[in-house]
Amino acid sequence: ENSDQTLHLVHAKPSNWGTIMTHLAKLLNVPLVPYEEWFAHLENSVQDEDDHTVYTRLRPTTASRPFG
């Protein structure tokens, strides 16, 4: 068995990400916000906590984040 193989799966009837998140937000009774806004809130929530797990994982991401 070759462990270097890659398998890409594609759903026969893919769903739009926005449609999925809209339903999930309604189910969880939370607002649906743009990614940029969500990411800014995430950054702000852990900004002053150097030992916060999310912050330590977020640091490399903020240097090359796709927005802003």
Short mmCIF file of all heavy atoms in Angstrom, two decimals:
data_model
loop_
_atom_site.label_atom_id
_atom_site.label_comp_id
_atom_site.label_asym_id
_atom_site.label_seq_id
_atom_site.Cartn_x
_atom_site.Cartn_y
_atom_site.Cartn_z
N GLU A 1 0.85 -1.19 0.00
CA GLU A 1 0.00 0.00 0.00
C GLU A 1 0.89 1.24 0.00
O GLU A 1 1.79 1.37 0.81
CB GLU A 1 -0.91 -0.02 1.22
CG GLU A 1 -1.84 1.16 1.24
CD GLU A 1 -2.83 1.06 2.39
OE1 GLU A 1 -3.41 -0.03 2.57
OE2 GLU A 1 -2.99 2.05 3.07
N ASN A 2 0.62 2.15 -0.91
CA ASN A 2 1.39 3.38 -1.03
C ASN A 2 0.73 4.48 -0.21
O ASN A 2 -0.39 4.89 -0.48
CB ASN A 2 1.47 3.79 -2.50
CG ASN A 2 2.40 4.96 -2.71
OD1 ASN A 2 2.82 5.60 -1.76
ND2 ASN A 2 2.70 5.24 -3.95
N SER A 3 1.44 5.01 0.80
CA SER A 3 0.87 6.05 1.66
C SER A 3 1.07 7.45 1.09
O SER A 3 0.64 8.43 1.69
CB SER A 3 1.49 5.96 3.05
OG SER A 3 2.87 6.20 2.97
N ASP A 4 1.73 7.57 -0.07
CA ASP A 4 1.97 8.88 -0.68
C ASP A 4 0.86 9.31 -1.63
O ASP A 4 0.97 10.33 -2.29
CB ASP A 4 3.29 8.86 -1.45
CG ASP A 4 4.49 8.70 -0.53
OD1 ASP A 4 4.37 9.04 0.66
OD2 ASP A 4 5.54 8.23 -1.01
N GLN A 5 -0.19 8.56 -1.71
CA GLN A 5 -1.27 8.89 -2.62
C GLN A 5 -2.18 9.97 -2.03
O GLN A 5 -2.34 10.06 -0.82
CB GLN A 5 -2.10 7.66 -2.94
CG GLN A 5 -1.33 6.62 -3.73
CD GLN A 5 -2.17 5.39 -4.02
OE1 GLN A 5 -3.27 5.25 -3.53
NE2 GLN A 5 -1.63 4.51 -4.84
N THR A 6 -2.76 10.77 -2.89
CA THR A 6 -3.70 11.81 -2.47
C THR A 6 -5.05 11.51 -3.10
O THR A 6 -5.14 11.17 -4.27
CB THR A 6 -3.22 13.19 -2.95
OG1 THR A 6 -1.91 13.43 -2.42
CG2 THR A 6 -4.16 14.28 -2.50
N LEU A 7 -6.08 11.66 -2.30
CA LEU A 7 -7.43 11.42 -2.76
C LEU A 7 -8.23 12.70 -2.57
O LEU A 7 -8.30 13.24 -1.46
CB LEU A 7 -8.07 10.28 -1.97
CG LEU A 7 -9.52 9.96 -2.27
CD1 LEU A 7 -9.67 9.47 -3.71
CD2 LEU A 7 -10.03 8.91 -1.31
N HIS A 8 -8.80 13.23 -3.64
CA HIS A 8 -9.64 14.43 -3.58
C HIS A 8 -11.09 14.00 -3.77
O HIS A 8 -11.44 13.38 -4.77
CB HIS A 8 -9.26 15.43 -4.67
CG HIS A 8 -7.88 15.98 -4.51
ND1 HIS A 8 -7.62 17.05 -3.68
CD2 HIS A 8 -6.70 15.61 -5.05
CE1 HIS A 8 -6.33 17.32 -3.72
NE2 HIS A 8 -5.75 16.46 -4.54
N LEU A 9 -11.91 14.35 -2.80
CA LEU A 9 -13.32 14.01 -2.88
C LEU A 9 -14.13 15.24 -3.28
O LEU A 9 -13.89 16.33 -2.78
CB LEU A 9 -13.83 13.49 -1.54
CG LEU A 9 -13.13 12.24 -1.01
CD1 LEU A 9 -13.67 11.89 0.37
CD2 LEU A 9 -13.31 11.08 -1.96
N VAL A 10 -15.09 15.05 -4.16
CA VAL A 10 -15.97 16.13 -4.59
C VAL A 10 -17.40 15.64 -4.43
O VAL A 10 -17.74 14.56 -4.89
CB VAL A 10 -15.69 16.52 -6.06
CG1 VAL A 10 -16.64 17.61 -6.52
CG2 VAL A 10 -14.24 16.94 -6.24
N HIS A 11 -18.22 16.46 -3.78
CA HIS A 11 -19.62 16.09 -3.60
C HIS A 11 -20.35 16.25 -4.93
O HIS A 11 -20.12 17.22 -5.67
CB HIS A 11 -20.26 16.99 -2.53
CG HIS A 11 -21.56 16.46 -2.04
ND1 HIS A 11 -22.73 16.58 -2.73
CD2 HIS A 11 -21.86 15.78 -0.89
CE1 HIS A 11 -23.71 16.02 -2.06
NE2 HIS A 11 -23.20 15.53 -0.93
N ALA A 12 -21.23 15.33 -5.23
CA ALA A 12 -21.95 15.36 -6.50
C ALA A 12 -22.87 16.56 -6.60
O ALA A 12 -23.13 17.08 -7.70
CB ALA A 12 -22.75 14.07 -6.67
N LYS A 13 -23.38 17.03 -5.46
CA LYS A 13 -24.27 18.21 -5.43
C LYS A 13 -23.74 19.16 -4.37
O LYS A 13 -24.26 19.23 -3.25
CB LYS A 13 -25.70 17.80 -5.12
CG LYS A 13 -26.34 16.94 -6.18
CD LYS A 13 -27.76 16.59 -5.82
CE LYS A 13 -28.37 15.71 -6.89
NZ LYS A 13 -29.75 15.34 -6.56
N PRO A 14 -22.67 19.90 -4.68
CA PRO A 14 -22.06 20.78 -3.68
C PRO A 14 -23.01 21.90 -3.24
O PRO A 14 -23.86 22.34 -4.01
CB PRO A 14 -20.84 21.35 -4.40
CG PRO A 14 -21.14 21.22 -5.84
CD PRO A 14 -22.03 20.02 -5.98
N SER A 15 -22.83 22.34 -2.01
CA SER A 15 -23.62 23.44 -1.46
C SER A 15 -22.76 24.69 -1.35
O SER A 15 -21.56 24.61 -1.12
CB SER A 15 -24.14 23.07 -0.07
OG SER A 15 -25.05 22.01 -0.15
N ASN A 16 -23.41 25.82 -1.47
CA ASN A 16 -22.74 27.10 -1.32
C ASN A 16 -22.42 27.31 0.15
O ASN A 16 -23.24 27.06 1.03
CB ASN A 16 -23.68 28.20 -1.83
CG ASN A 16 -23.11 29.57 -1.68
OD1 ASN A 16 -23.04 30.10 -0.56
ND2 ASN A 16 -22.71 30.17 -2.77
N TRP A 17 -21.18 27.79 0.44
CA TRP A 17 -20.74 28.02 1.83
C TRP A 17 -21.68 28.98 2.55
O TRP A 17 -22.03 28.77 3.71
CB TRP A 17 -19.32 28.56 1.82
CG TRP A 17 -18.75 28.73 3.19
CD1 TRP A 17 -18.57 29.91 3.84
CD2 TRP A 17 -18.30 27.71 4.07
NE1 TRP A 17 -18.02 29.68 5.09
CE2 TRP A 17 -17.85 28.33 5.25
CE3 TRP A 17 -18.25 26.32 3.99
CZ2 TRP A 17 -17.34 27.62 6.32
CZ3 TRP A 17 -17.73 25.61 5.06
CH2 TRP A 17 -17.29 26.26 6.21
N GLY A 18 -22.12 30.03 1.88
CA GLY A 18 -23.02 31.01 2.49
C GLY A 18 -24.35 30.39 2.89
O GLY A 18 -24.90 30.72 3.94
N THR A 19 -24.85 29.49 2.08
CA THR A 19 -26.11 28.81 2.39
C THR A 19 -25.96 27.95 3.64
O THR A 19 -26.81 27.98 4.53
CB THR A 19 -26.55 27.92 1.20
OG1 THR A 19 -26.69 28.74 0.04
CG2 THR A 19 -27.85 27.20 1.50
N ILE A 20 -24.86 27.23 3.72
CA ILE A 20 -24.61 26.38 4.88
C ILE A 20 -24.48 27.22 6.15
O ILE A 20 -25.08 26.93 7.19
CB ILE A 20 -23.34 25.53 4.68
CG1 ILE A 20 -23.56 24.53 3.54
CG2 ILE A 20 -22.95 24.81 5.97
CD1 ILE A 20 -22.30 23.82 3.09
N MET A 21 -23.69 28.30 6.07
CA MET A 21 -23.46 29.15 7.25
C MET A 21 -24.72 29.89 7.67
O MET A 21 -24.96 30.09 8.86
CB MET A 21 -22.33 30.15 6.98
CG MET A 21 -20.97 29.49 6.88
SD MET A 21 -20.48 28.71 8.44
CE MET A 21 -20.67 26.98 8.04
N THR A 22 -25.57 30.28 6.70
CA THR A 22 -26.83 30.94 7.03
C THR A 22 -27.70 30.01 7.87
O THR A 22 -28.26 30.41 8.90
CB THR A 22 -27.57 31.38 5.76
OG1 THR A 22 -26.75 32.31 5.06
CG2 THR A 22 -28.91 32.01 6.08
N HIS A 23 -27.81 28.77 7.45
CA HIS A 23 -28.61 27.79 8.19
C HIS A 23 -28.00 27.51 9.57
O HIS A 23 -28.72 27.41 10.56
CB HIS A 23 -28.76 26.48 7.40
CG HIS A 23 -29.66 26.60 6.22
ND1 HIS A 23 -31.01 26.87 6.32
CD2 HIS A 23 -29.41 26.50 4.89
CE1 HIS A 23 -31.54 26.94 5.13
NE2 HIS A 23 -30.59 26.70 4.23
N LEU A 24 -26.70 27.39 9.62
CA LEU A 24 -26.02 27.12 10.89
C LEU A 24 -26.19 28.30 11.86
O LEU A 24 -26.46 28.09 13.05
CB LEU A 24 -24.53 26.84 10.65
CG LEU A 24 -23.73 26.40 11.86
CD1 LEU A 24 -24.31 25.12 12.46
CD2 LEU A 24 -22.28 26.20 11.48
N ALA A 25 -26.07 29.52 11.36
CA ALA A 25 -26.25 30.70 12.21
C ALA A 25 -27.67 30.75 12.78
O ALA A 25 -27.86 31.07 13.96
CB ALA A 25 -25.95 31.97 11.41
N LYS A 26 -28.65 30.44 11.95
CA LYS A 26 -30.04 30.42 12.43
C LYS A 26 -30.22 29.33 13.48
O LYS A 26 -30.87 29.54 14.50
CB LYS A 26 -31.01 30.20 11.27
CG LYS A 26 -31.17 31.41 10.39
CD LYS A 26 -32.14 31.14 9.26
CE LYS A 26 -32.23 32.34 8.33
NZ LYS A 26 -33.12 32.09 7.20
N LEU A 27 -29.66 28.16 13.23
CA LEU A 27 -29.77 27.05 14.16
C LEU A 27 -29.16 27.39 15.52
O LEU A 27 -29.72 27.07 16.57
CB LEU A 27 -29.08 25.81 13.58
CG LEU A 27 -29.09 24.55 14.44
CD1 LEU A 27 -30.50 23.99 14.55
CD2 LEU A 27 -28.17 23.50 13.85
N LEU A 28 -28.01 28.07 15.49
CA LEU A 28 -27.31 28.42 16.73
C LEU A 28 -27.75 29.76 17.30
O LEU A 28 -27.28 30.18 18.36
CB LEU A 28 -25.80 28.45 16.47
CG LEU A 28 -25.18 27.12 16.05
CD1 LEU A 28 -23.71 27.31 15.69
CD2 LEU A 28 -25.34 26.08 17.15
N ASN A 29 -28.64 30.45 16.59
CA ASN A 29 -29.15 31.75 17.00
C ASN A 29 -28.01 32.76 17.22
O ASN A 29 -27.93 33.40 18.27
CB ASN A 29 -30.03 31.62 18.25
CG ASN A 29 -30.87 32.85 18.50
OD1 ASN A 29 -31.22 33.56 17.56
ND2 ASN A 29 -31.16 33.13 19.75
N VAL A 30 -27.12 32.83 16.24
CA VAL A 30 -26.00 33.77 16.28
C VAL A 30 -26.01 34.58 14.98
O VAL A 30 -26.51 34.11 13.95
CB VAL A 30 -24.64 33.05 16.44
CG1 VAL A 30 -24.57 32.33 17.77
CG2 VAL A 30 -24.37 32.10 15.29
N PRO A 31 -25.46 35.79 15.02
CA PRO A 31 -25.43 36.59 13.79
C PRO A 31 -24.42 36.04 12.79
O PRO A 31 -23.40 35.48 13.17
CB PRO A 31 -25.02 37.98 14.27
CG PRO A 31 -24.28 37.73 15.54
CD PRO A 31 -24.89 36.50 16.16
N LEU A 32 -24.72 36.22 11.54
CA LEU A 32 -23.80 35.85 10.47
C LEU A 32 -23.06 37.12 10.05
O LEU A 32 -23.68 38.10 9.66
CB LEU A 32 -24.57 35.26 9.29
CG LEU A 32 -23.76 34.69 8.14
CD1 LEU A 32 -22.90 33.53 8.62
CD2 LEU A 32 -24.69 34.22 7.04
N VAL A 33 -21.75 37.11 10.21
CA VAL A 33 -20.95 38.30 9.92
C VAL A 33 -19.91 37.97 8.85
O VAL A 33 -19.52 36.81 8.70
CB VAL A 33 -20.24 38.84 11.19
CG1 VAL A 33 -21.27 39.27 12.22
CG2 VAL A 33 -19.30 37.81 11.77
N PRO A 34 -19.43 38.97 8.13
CA PRO A 34 -18.38 38.73 7.14
C PRO A 34 -17.11 38.20 7.81
O PRO A 34 -16.84 38.49 8.98
CB PRO A 34 -18.12 40.12 6.54
CG PRO A 34 -19.33 40.92 6.85
CD PRO A 34 -19.87 40.36 8.13
N TYR A 35 -16.32 37.46 7.05
CA TYR A 35 -15.10 36.85 7.58
C TYR A 35 -14.18 37.89 8.20
O TYR A 35 -13.63 37.68 9.27
CB TYR A 35 -14.35 36.10 6.47
CG TYR A 35 -13.02 35.56 6.93
CD1 TYR A 35 -12.95 34.36 7.64
CD2 TYR A 35 -11.85 36.26 6.69
CE1 TYR A 35 -11.73 33.88 8.08
CE2 TYR A 35 -10.62 35.78 7.13
CZ TYR A 35 -10.58 34.59 7.83
OH TYR A 35 -9.38 34.11 8.28
N GLU A 36 -14.01 39.02 7.52
CA GLU A 36 -13.11 40.07 8.01
C GLU A 36 -13.52 40.54 9.40
O GLU A 36 -12.68 40.74 10.27
CB GLU A 36 -13.09 41.27 7.04
CG GLU A 36 -12.56 40.94 5.68
CD GLU A 36 -13.65 40.49 4.72
OE1 GLU A 36 -14.78 40.15 5.15
OE2 GLU A 36 -13.38 40.46 3.51
N GLU A 37 -14.83 40.72 9.61
CA GLU A 37 -15.34 41.15 10.91
C GLU A 37 -15.12 40.07 11.97
O GLU A 37 -14.69 40.34 13.08
CB GLU A 37 -16.83 41.49 10.80
CG GLU A 37 -17.43 42.03 12.06
CD GLU A 37 -18.90 42.38 11.90
OE1 GLU A 37 -19.35 42.65 10.76
OE2 GLU A 37 -19.61 42.38 12.92
N TRP A 38 -15.41 38.83 11.61
CA TRP A 38 -15.22 37.72 12.55
C TRP A 38 -13.75 37.62 12.96
O TRP A 38 -13.43 37.46 14.14
CB TRP A 38 -15.68 36.41 11.90
CG TRP A 38 -15.31 35.21 12.70
CD1 TRP A 38 -15.99 34.69 13.77
CD2 TRP A 38 -14.16 34.37 12.52
NE1 TRP A 38 -15.32 33.59 14.25
CE2 TRP A 38 -14.19 33.37 13.50
CE3 TRP A 38 -13.10 34.38 11.61
CZ2 TRP A 38 -13.22 32.38 13.60
CZ3 TRP A 38 -12.13 33.40 11.72
CH2 TRP A 38 -12.20 32.42 12.70
N PHE A 39 -12.85 37.72 11.97
CA PHE A 39 -11.43 37.59 12.25
C PHE A 39 -10.94 38.73 13.14
O PHE A 39 -10.14 38.53 14.05
CB PHE A 39 -10.62 37.54 10.95
CG PHE A 39 -9.23 37.02 11.14
CD1 PHE A 39 -8.98 35.66 11.13
CD2 PHE A 39 -8.17 37.89 11.34
CE1 PHE A 39 -7.70 35.17 11.32
CE2 PHE A 39 -6.88 37.42 11.52
CZ PHE A 39 -6.64 36.05 11.51
N ALA A 40 -11.43 39.95 12.89
CA ALA A 40 -11.06 41.10 13.72
C ALA A 40 -11.51 40.89 15.16
O ALA A 40 -10.77 41.17 16.11
CB ALA A 40 -11.68 42.37 13.15
N HIS A 41 -12.72 40.37 15.35
CA HIS A 41 -13.20 40.07 16.71
C HIS A 41 -12.34 39.00 17.36
O HIS A 41 -12.04 39.08 18.56
CB HIS A 41 -14.67 39.63 16.68
CG HIS A 41 -15.63 40.75 16.53
ND1 HIS A 41 -15.93 41.63 17.54
CD2 HIS A 41 -16.37 41.14 15.47
CE1 HIS A 41 -16.82 42.51 17.12
NE2 HIS A 41 -17.09 42.23 15.86
N LEU A 42 -11.95 38.00 16.60
CA LEU A 42 -11.10 36.94 17.13
C LEU A 42 -9.76 37.51 17.57
O LEU A 42 -9.28 37.22 18.68
CB LEU A 42 -10.89 35.85 16.07
CG LEU A 42 -9.98 34.69 16.47
CD1 LEU A 42 -10.57 33.91 17.64
CD2 LEU A 42 -9.77 33.76 15.28
N GLU A 43 -9.16 38.33 16.73
CA GLU A 43 -7.89 38.96 17.08
C GLU A 43 -8.01 39.81 18.34
O GLU A 43 -7.18 39.73 19.24
CB GLU A 43 -7.41 39.87 15.94
CG GLU A 43 -6.74 39.15 14.81
CD GLU A 43 -6.23 40.13 13.78
OE1 GLU A 43 -6.99 41.00 13.33
OE2 GLU A 43 -5.03 40.02 13.44
N ASN A 44 -9.06 40.63 18.41
CA ASN A 44 -9.26 41.51 19.56
C ASN A 44 -9.54 40.74 20.84
O ASN A 44 -9.14 41.17 21.92
CB ASN A 44 -10.40 42.50 19.29
CG ASN A 44 -10.04 43.50 18.23
OD1 ASN A 44 -8.88 43.79 17.99
ND2 ASN A 44 -11.05 44.03 17.56
N SER A 45 -10.20 39.60 20.74
CA SER A 45 -10.56 38.85 21.94
C SER A 45 -9.36 38.21 22.62
O SER A 45 -9.40 37.90 23.80
CB SER A 45 -11.60 37.77 21.61
OG SER A 45 -11.02 36.74 20.85
N VAL A 46 -8.28 38.02 21.90
CA VAL A 46 -7.09 37.37 22.48
C VAL A 46 -5.85 38.25 22.44
O VAL A 46 -4.76 37.81 22.79
CB VAL A 46 -6.79 36.02 21.77
CG1 VAL A 46 -7.94 35.05 21.96
CG2 VAL A 46 -6.48 36.22 20.30
N GLN A 47 -6.01 39.50 22.04
CA GLN A 47 -4.88 40.40 21.82
C GLN A 47 -3.99 40.56 23.05
O GLN A 47 -2.78 40.60 22.94
CB GLN A 47 -5.40 41.76 21.39
CG GLN A 47 -4.32 42.73 20.97
CD GLN A 47 -4.94 43.99 20.40
OE1 GLN A 47 -6.09 44.29 20.64
NE2 GLN A 47 -4.16 44.72 19.65
N ASP A 48 -4.56 40.66 24.23
CA ASP A 48 -3.79 40.93 25.45
C ASP A 48 -3.42 39.66 26.21
O ASP A 48 -2.95 39.73 27.34
CB ASP A 48 -4.56 41.87 26.36
CG ASP A 48 -4.78 43.22 25.70
OD1 ASP A 48 -3.88 43.65 24.95
OD2 ASP A 48 -5.83 43.83 25.95
N GLU A 49 -3.64 38.53 25.62
CA GLU A 49 -3.38 37.26 26.31
C GLU A 49 -2.32 36.47 25.56
O GLU A 49 -2.63 35.65 24.72
CB GLU A 49 -4.67 36.45 26.43
CG GLU A 49 -5.79 37.19 27.15
CD GLU A 49 -7.05 36.37 27.22
OE1 GLU A 49 -6.96 35.14 27.41
OE2 GLU A 49 -8.14 36.95 27.08
N ASP A 50 -1.05 36.71 25.87
CA ASP A 50 0.04 36.03 25.16
C ASP A 50 0.03 34.52 25.30
O ASP A 50 0.52 33.80 24.45
CB ASP A 50 1.40 36.55 25.64
CG ASP A 50 1.66 37.96 25.13
OD1 ASP A 50 1.01 38.37 24.16
OD2 ASP A 50 2.51 38.64 25.73
N ASP A 51 -0.52 34.02 26.40
CA ASP A 51 -0.51 32.58 26.61
C ASP A 51 -1.82 31.92 26.17
O ASP A 51 -2.03 30.74 26.38
CB ASP A 51 -0.23 32.25 28.08
CG ASP A 51 -1.30 32.78 29.02
OD1 ASP A 51 -2.07 33.68 28.62
OD2 ASP A 51 -1.36 32.30 30.17
N HIS A 52 -2.69 32.65 25.54
CA HIS A 52 -3.97 32.11 25.08
C HIS A 52 -3.72 31.17 23.90
O HIS A 52 -3.01 31.50 22.97
CB HIS A 52 -4.90 33.24 24.66
CG HIS A 52 -6.32 32.82 24.50
ND1 HIS A 52 -6.75 32.08 23.44
CD2 HIS A 52 -7.40 33.03 25.29
CE1 HIS A 52 -8.04 31.85 23.57
NE2 HIS A 52 -8.46 32.43 24.67
N THR A 53 -4.32 29.99 23.94
CA THR A 53 -4.11 28.98 22.90
C THR A 53 -4.44 29.53 21.52
O THR A 53 -3.70 29.31 20.56
CB THR A 53 -4.96 27.73 23.18
OG1 THR A 53 -4.63 27.24 24.47
CG2 THR A 53 -4.73 26.66 22.15
N VAL A 54 -5.56 30.22 21.39
CA VAL A 54 -5.95 30.75 20.09
C VAL A 54 -4.93 31.77 19.62
O VAL A 54 -4.54 31.80 18.47
CB VAL A 54 -7.36 31.38 20.15
CG1 VAL A 54 -7.68 32.10 18.84
CG2 VAL A 54 -8.40 30.32 20.43
N TYR A 55 -4.46 32.63 20.53
CA TYR A 55 -3.51 33.68 20.16
C TYR A 55 -2.20 33.08 19.64
O TYR A 55 -1.67 33.53 18.64
CB TYR A 55 -3.23 34.60 21.34
CG TYR A 55 -2.34 35.76 20.99
CD1 TYR A 55 -2.83 36.81 20.23
CD2 TYR A 55 -1.01 35.79 21.38
CE1 TYR A 55 -2.02 37.88 19.88
CE2 TYR A 55 -0.19 36.85 21.04
CZ TYR A 55 -0.71 37.90 20.29
OH TYR A 55 0.10 38.94 19.94
N THR A 56 -1.70 32.07 20.30
CA THR A 56 -0.44 31.47 19.85
C THR A 56 -0.60 30.82 18.49
O THR A 56 0.34 30.79 17.70
CB THR A 56 0.10 30.45 20.86
OG1 THR A 56 -0.89 29.44 21.08
CG2 THR A 56 0.45 31.11 22.17
N ARG A 57 -1.76 30.32 18.19
CA ARG A 57 -2.00 29.73 16.87
C ARG A 57 -2.33 30.80 15.84
O ARG A 57 -2.17 30.60 14.65
CB ARG A 57 -3.14 28.71 16.94
CG ARG A 57 -2.78 27.52 17.78
CD ARG A 57 -3.98 26.60 17.96
NE ARG A 57 -3.72 25.61 18.97
CZ ARG A 57 -3.18 24.43 18.74
NH1 ARG A 57 -2.84 24.09 17.52
NH2 ARG A 57 -2.98 23.58 19.72
N LEU A 58 -2.79 31.96 16.28
CA LEU A 58 -3.21 33.01 15.39
C LEU A 58 -2.03 33.85 14.89
O LEU A 58 -2.05 34.37 13.80
CB LEU A 58 -4.20 33.91 16.14
CG LEU A 58 -4.94 35.00 15.39
CD1 LEU A 58 -5.80 34.38 14.30
CD2 LEU A 58 -5.80 35.79 16.35
N ARG A 59 -1.00 33.98 15.69
CA ARG A 59 0.13 34.85 15.35
C ARG A 59 0.69 34.62 13.95
O ARG A 59 0.82 35.57 13.20
CB ARG A 59 1.24 34.71 16.39
CG ARG A 59 1.07 35.68 17.51
CD ARG A 59 2.24 35.61 18.42
NE ARG A 59 1.75 35.13 19.70
CZ ARG A 59 2.50 34.80 20.73
NH1 ARG A 59 3.79 34.88 20.64
NH2 ARG A 59 1.97 34.40 21.84
N PRO A 60 1.01 33.40 13.55
CA PRO A 60 1.54 33.22 12.20
C PRO A 60 0.51 33.58 11.13
O PRO A 60 0.84 34.05 10.06
CB PRO A 60 1.85 31.72 12.11
CG PRO A 60 1.87 31.24 13.50
CD PRO A 60 1.01 32.18 14.31
N THR A 61 -0.77 33.41 11.43
CA THR A 61 -1.84 33.68 10.49
C THR A 61 -1.99 35.17 10.23
O THR A 61 -2.26 35.59 9.12
CB THR A 61 -3.17 33.12 11.01
OG1 THR A 61 -2.97 31.75 11.34
CG2 THR A 61 -4.27 33.21 9.99
N THR A 62 -1.83 35.99 11.26
CA THR A 62 -2.07 37.42 11.10
C THR A 62 -1.07 38.07 10.16
O THR A 62 -1.39 39.04 9.49
CB THR A 62 -2.04 38.15 12.47
OG1 THR A 62 -0.78 37.90 13.10
CG2 THR A 62 -3.17 37.69 13.35
N ALA A 63 0.13 37.54 10.08
CA ALA A 63 1.14 38.11 9.18
C ALA A 63 0.79 37.90 7.72
O ALA A 63 1.13 38.70 6.86
CB ALA A 63 2.50 37.51 9.49
N SER A 64 0.09 36.82 7.44
CA SER A 64 -0.22 36.51 6.04
C SER A 64 -1.70 36.30 5.83
O SER A 64 -2.09 35.57 4.93
CB SER A 64 0.53 35.25 5.63
OG SER A 64 0.12 34.16 6.43
N ARG A 65 -2.53 36.93 6.66
CA ARG A 65 -3.96 36.70 6.52
C ARG A 65 -4.48 37.22 5.18
O ARG A 65 -3.96 38.19 4.64
CB ARG A 65 -4.72 37.29 7.69
CG ARG A 65 -4.77 38.77 7.74
CD ARG A 65 -5.57 39.17 8.94
NE ARG A 65 -5.50 40.60 9.08
CZ ARG A 65 -6.14 41.27 9.97
NH1 ARG A 65 -6.86 40.65 10.85
NH2 ARG A 65 -6.05 42.57 10.04
N PRO A 66 -5.52 36.59 4.65
CA PRO A 66 -5.96 36.91 3.30
C PRO A 66 -6.74 38.20 3.17
O PRO A 66 -6.96 38.66 2.09
CB PRO A 66 -6.85 35.71 2.95
CG PRO A 66 -7.32 35.19 4.26
CD PRO A 66 -6.20 35.46 5.23
N PHE A 67 -7.17 38.80 4.28
CA PHE A 67 -7.99 40.01 4.20
C PHE A 67 -7.34 41.12 5.00
O PHE A 67 -6.74 40.90 6.02
CB PHE A 67 -9.40 39.75 4.74
CG PHE A 67 -10.11 38.67 4.01
CD1 PHE A 67 -10.23 37.41 4.56
CD2 PHE A 67 -10.64 38.90 2.77
CE1 PHE A 67 -10.90 36.41 3.89
CE2 PHE A 67 -11.30 37.90 2.09
CZ PHE A 67 -11.43 36.65 2.63
N GLY A 68 -7.54 42.36 4.54
CA GLY A 68 -7.12 43.55 5.27
C GLY A 68 -5.69 43.70 5.32
O GLY A 68 -5.02 44.28 6.03
#
